[in-house]
Amino acid sequence: MQDGPIMSGISDFYRDKVVFVTGGTGFIGKIVVEKLLRTCEVKEVILMVREKKNTLPEQRIKTLCASPIFERLAKKNPNYQERIRVIEGDLEKPNFDLCPESMDYLKEHTHVILHIAATVKFDEEMIKAITINLAGTRTALEIGRQSKNLQSFVYVSTAYSNSYDEHIQERVYPIDCNPEKILANLDDEKLIQDVIQYSLKWPNTYTFTKAMAEALALEYRQHFPVAILRPSCVMASLNEPLPGWCDSIYGSNGTFIGWYYGLIRTSHIDPEVTIDTVPVDYVSNAIIAVGWKTYMERAQEPEVLVYNCVSSTDNPLTFGKQQDQASKGSKHPLLTGIYKPITFASSNEIMFRLYSLVLHYLPAYIMDMALRFRGEKPRLVDTYVKIDKVVASVRKFSNTTYLFDNQNMKDLYLAMSPVDHQQYPCDNRNYSWRLYFEVAVPGLKKYFFKEDLNNVKRARQAMRKKELIVNTTLFLIVGLMLLQLYYLLR
């Protein structure tokens, strides 16, 4: 018989702990930081921040804390910022370019490291991708190795780190190159060319360098408990800290935002392909929960456990069905959108190029001409050129249905108490995509585009005018082209 209420094992583990979070100002990281400060009585969260665009780290944190996602936390604990320690550092530089005092503080006080920071640019130049995703991970692991009180290390990778294989297991895959040798010889042009040639097995530099970082993390299990969490495509939140919150333009978010804005109207994707997306709050909860479980099972689990944080295994969604669900966003049209959200999808290269010409480039040239007449800089054609580069870098993902193993994720959920199920939901079987998009679409309108949800009438009127102008102009251009063709063939 229980003597009292069931407590949260996860919150209890983090109580009075010092947690070092890399990437704490990023899309996933800031949700992790907010959740740790709101639900765990952590002693301190250490954030490594670099100066950016002449903005000092301390000012960047003040801006971060002014975000709507911290309002709930501020109401609960107005003094929460006192538990944030800011250290100046740069992921791209050796030893994060930390000053001796900051490095010593980390080694002396850190209990948990959540390494989330990475470049998520899929087509990043190889040297830069290695420097950030591989060298940065080694620095975080070395800080862990030299820390006096480290209890748990979680490396956040990607579900697509081994996407050359369509069946992705929860294990670290072997690689035929030595990460340490590569890091020691980044100025060796021949070696780097060999690495680039070997990396062609992967769809892009992002997934390749993530795979190498996983192999590197495996080597540190002898020093401290390590786990790897692999989220798939991370999208807007489902519930926390705000329903539908998103501020990222990378990956699937960029495609979804582009569709909603009316910018991306065709996709090089098979509508029947099963895609894999996970709400950012579920990923955040999984990171925190894995940190807890990695420590709790450190004695009986000598290996590095890999957790595929995915949805398609138990809650599948095809691209076509995603568009059907998301199209309900017509209830929330954008005042600032350039066209109503529509998508013509095709896995056929020729059809995609034809759709792209008619739906993207012709309207882009028209709108750029209009911008020139108004004395503004044309930008839409250049935007579509950049979009096409991204499309090429993710073609493998968008036309492949992957089979992910996720038993370790299910075991994590089974190990959690009912209280933790409520406080740290991370089981992707427990939500419907219909309900998800009912919060994701208005969330984008409110938080990303910063529009009033009540401006529906004005937004629809503005959208009708834009459609009329673009469609009329397109009709005239296509008509003139057909007329010219007719006279040429007479």
Side-chain angles (χ1 to χ4, degrees):
M1 183 175 178
Q2 282 184 212
D3 296 326
I6 300 174
M7 303 301 290
S8 166
I10 295 176
S11 297
D12 189 58
F13 165 69
Y14 283 98
R15 183 176 293 112
D16 296 326
K17 296 288 194 304
V18 174
V19 185
F20 177 34
V21 181
T22 71
T25 60
F27 177 51
I28 299 173
K30 63 184 69 170
I31 302 299
V32 171
V33 170
E34 191 275 342
K35 191 66 180 274
L36 284 171
L37 292 170
R38 179 164 52 84
T39 64
C40 305
E41 295 178 18
V42 291
K43 181 178 180 181
E44 191 172 63
V45 172
I46 302 175
L47 298 181
M48 183 180 73
V49 187
R50 63 184 172 92
E51 183 177 328
K52 187 176 182 181
K53 296 180 181 178
N54 297 320
T55 304
L56 295 174
E58 292 77 10
Q59 185 56 48
R60 288 187 64 195
I61 294 300
K62 286 183 180 178
T63 303
L64 173 70
C65 292
S67 167
I69 62 171
F70 285 89
E71 289 177 358
R72 185 175 174 186
L73 170 60
K75 289 178 181 178
K76 180 180 179 181
N77 183 358
N79 300 318
Y80 75 90
Q81 292 187 46
E82 295 174 359
R83 291 187 289 152
I84 299 176
R85 175 180 289 268
V86 181
I87 58 174
E88 186 168 0
D90 192 332
L91 192 68
E92 293 187 50
K93 296 182 179 178
N95 294 318
F96 295 154
D97 201 28
L98 294 172
C99 67
E101 292 78 13
S102 293
M103 184 66 82
D104 289 343
Y105 189 88
L106 285 171
K107 294 175 182 178
E108 188 72 29
H109 297 92
T110 303
H111 297 103
V112 179
I113 296 178
L114 306 178
H115 181 48
I116 306 170
T119 173
V120 293
K121 187 178 178 183
F122 290 146
D123 58 348
E124 188 70 83
E125 184 268 331
M126 180 61 79
I127 294 291
K128 188 170 184 179
I130 289 173
T131 300
I132 297 174
N133 291 346
L134 183 58
T137 300
R138 184 182 63 176
T139 299
L141 288 163
E142 275 298 307
I143 291 172
R145 187 178 67 81
Q146 298 174 46
S147 294
K148 295 180 179 180
N149 304 299
L150 191 72
Q151 297 180 2
S152 181
F153 186 109
V154 180
Y155 170 54
V156 180
S157 183
T158 170
Y160 301 99
S161 57
N162 301 284
S163 48
Y164 53 82
D165 191 340
E166 293 180 13
H167 177 198
I168 299 177
Q169 302 173 46
E170 290 181 304
R171 64 182 176 89
V172 177
Y173 284 62
I175 55 173
D176 294 330
C177 60
N178 187 328
E180 290 289 0
K181 182 180 178 182
I182 293 170
L183 290 173
N185 297 278
L186 288 178
D187 56 350
D188 185 332
E189 292 185 11
K190 184 181 182 306
L191 175 64
I192 296 303
Q193 285 304 312
D194 289 342
V195 170
I196 291 173
Q197 188 63 37
Y198 175 62
S199 74
L200 297 178
K201 180 179 177 181
W202 282 261
N204 47 53
T205 57
Y206 171 69
T207 53
F208 171 61
T209 51
K210 282 291 192 177
M212 285 202 295
E214 288 186 9
L216 192 65
L218 193 66
E219 302 300 317
Y220 281 79
R221 179 59 186 91
Q222 60 184 309
H223 302 297
F224 50 79
V226 184
I228 297 170
L229 183 86
R230 291 183 184 150
S232 57
C233 301
V234 186
M235 290 187 66
S237 62
L238 176 63
N239 295 309
E240 295 183 289
L242 295 165
W245 179 84
C246 176
D247 73 347
S248 171
I249 60 170
Y250 294 102
S252 294
N253 282 319
T255 304
F256 192 53
I257 290 166
W259 163 82
Y260 187 37
Y261 188 63
L263 185 66
I264 298 178
R265 303 169 65 199
T266 181
S267 298
H268 192 196
I269 186 171
D270 182 350
E272 297 305 313
V273 160
T274 299
I275 59 175
D276 204 299
T277 61
V278 183
V280 66
D281 45 337
Y282 273 56
V283 174
S284 167
N285 291 332
I287 292 169
I288 294 169
V290 167
W292 158 76
K293 187 170 181 284
T294 301
Y295 173 75
M296 298 304 292
E297 298 186 355
R298 65 196 181 283
Q300 61 265 41
E301 185 51 70
E303 303 299 322
V304 173
L305 284 187
V306 177
Y307 298 82
N308 285 341
C309 184
V310 296
S311 61
S312 61
T313 306
D314 303 299
N315 193 3
L317 178 71
T318 65
F319 180 78
K321 288 182 179 178
Q322 182 200 51
Q323 292 305 302
D324 289 342
Q325 297 291 348
S327 64
K328 293 177 173 62
S330 59
K331 300 176 187 174
H332 305 277
L334 283 175
L335 180 64
T336 54
I338 61 175
Y339 208 85
K340 68 178 180 181
I342 58 170
T343 296
F344 290 84
S346 177
S347 59
N348 182 279
E349 179 76 22
I350 296 174
M351 287 303 300
F352 168 69
R353 292 299 169 193
L354 182 60
Y355 284 145
S356 186
L357 174 65
V358 175
L359 298 172
H360 285 176
Y361 283 96
L362 283 178
Y365 279 112
I366 294 168
M367 291 184 181
D368 277 356
M369 286 172 55
L371 289 171
R372 284 193 179 94
F373 283 130
R374 290 166 54 181
E376 298 180 33
K377 183 180 178 181
R379 57 182 181 271
L380 273 174
V381 172
D382 287 344
T383 299
Y384 281 122
V385 170
K386 292 175 182 177
I387 288 172
D388 281 352
K389 287 182 180 179
V390 175
V391 167
S393 70
V394 298
R395 186 171 297 158
K396 170 70 174 177
F397 308 140
S398 58
N399 287 284
T400 304
T401 294
Y402 288 95
L403 173 63
F404 293 99
D405 291 347
N406 68 340
Q407 188 58 48
N408 288 342
M409 275 299 298
K410 292 176 181 176
D411 290 344
L412 168 67
Y413 198 71
L414 287 173
M416 295 164 59
S417 71
V419 172
D420 285 330
H421 288 165
Q422 294 294 319
Q423 195 149 298
Y424 303 95
C426 55
D427 188 341
N428 291 297
R429 295 171 290 187
N430 290 347
Y431 53 84
S432 79
W433 290 113
R434 179 183 64 80
L435 293 177
Y436 174 75
F437 285 107
E438 283 181 4
V439 299
V441 174
L444 279 182
K445 181 180 175 76
K446 182 176 181 179
Y447 300 115
F448 188 87
F449 290 100
K450 296 178 172 51
E451 287 194 12
D452 184 354
L453 292 178
N454 296 315
N455 70 3
V456 174
K457 186 176 179 180
R458 285 180 58 215
R460 283 184 177 152
Q461 289 174 343
M463 191 61 68
R464 279 195 288 268
K465 289 180 182 178
K466 292 170 186 175
E467 285 179 31
L468 180 62
I469 293 169
V470 173
N471 290 343
T472 301
T473 309
L474 266 176
F475 178 79
L476 289 173
I477 290 175
V478 173
L480 288 171
M481 289 172 63
L482 291 173
L483 187 62
Q484 183 69 25
L485 183 63
Y486 169 75
Y487 281 116
L488 286 172
L489 296 175
R490 282 183 63 183

